[in-house]
Amino acid sequence: MATKMRDLASKFATAFEEGDATTINSLYAPDAVVWHNTNEREQPRSENVALAKAIPLIFSSFKYHDVRVQVFDGGYVQQHVVHAAMKDGTTLRIPVCAVVQVTNDQISRIDEYYDSALEPASIKQMLLKE
């Protein structure tokens, strides 16, 4: 079970880094939501998939570093540090913790925690956080 969960975590992370909306869509349960501590809002699956698809349009590079995954019954916790460069040259380094719930081998919920002060204003606007 742990290996299967770690494989799912790896596949999801790689797809998000690459902006692979098709793979992300296939990994999500039909009613999946992503909650962000920065706005305390549940983002529907469709919005999160659209965000992933926009990654290559916004960033010239987007990678997860120092990835740590801890599996629990029904999901996993992933800690990582986003290292990214926007097309305008702005660089980001944002530590993230995501609690991921998995149902029937698909991601059903993500609770994502990070410090929004580390996000540039342009990203906050895009995500409708301001």
Side-chain angles (χ1 to χ4, degrees), residues 35-38 80 94-99 110-115:
W35 178 87
H36 300 95
N37 72 299
T38 56
H80 59 265
I94 304 175
V96 177
C97 180
V99 180
I110 299 175
D111 291 284
E112 186 176 63
Y113 300 86
Y114 64 95
D115 182 356

Side-chain angles (χ1 to χ4, degrees), residues 82 103 105:
V82 172
T103 307
D105 299 325

Side-chain angles (χ1 to χ4, degrees), residues 64-83:
Y64 294 161
H65 291 261
D66 305 320
V67 177
R68 297 173 308 284
V69 175
Q70 296 298 319
V71 174
F72 62 86
D73 188 26
Y76 61 93
V77 175
Q78 179 171 310
Q79 295 170 273
H80 59 265
V81 180
V82 172
H83 287 249

Side-chain angles (χ1 to χ4, degrees), residues 7-122:
D7 288 346
L8 175 63
S10 177
K11 190 172 183 178
F12 184 79
T14 299
F16 215 92
E17 286 176 326
E18 296 173 354
D20 181 353
T22 301
T23 297
I24 290 169
N25 202 37
S26 74
L27 298 175
Y28 273 144
D31 58 348
V33 295
V34 179
W35 178 87
H36 300 95
N37 72 299
T38 56
N39 62 5
E40 297 185 37
R41 177 181 168 267
E42 286 184 348
Q43 183 184 51
R45 168 191 172 150
S46 60
E47 285 182 25
N48 193 258
V49 171
L51 173 63
K53 190 175 183 177
I55 294 287
L57 304 174
I58 301 164
F59 298 98
S60 54
S61 69
F62 186 95
K63 294 289 180 193
Y64 294 161
H65 291 261
D66 305 320
V67 177
R68 297 173 308 284
V69 175
Q70 296 298 319
V71 174
F72 62 86
D73 188 26
Y76 61 93
V77 175
Q78 179 171 310
Q79 295 170 273
H80 59 265
V81 180
V82 172
H83 287 249
M86 296 180 63
K87 298 278 185 173
D88 69 4
T90 304
T91 59
L92 308 173
R93 183 188 176 282
I94 304 175
V96 177
C97 180
V99 180
V100 181
Q101 295 177 30
V102 176
T103 307
N104 297 323
D105 299 325
Q106 289 187 302
I107 295 169
S108 54
R109 180 180 181 90
I110 299 175
D111 291 284
E112 186 176 63
Y113 300 86
Y114 64 95
D115 182 356
S116 64
L118 300 174
E119 244 177 2
S122 58

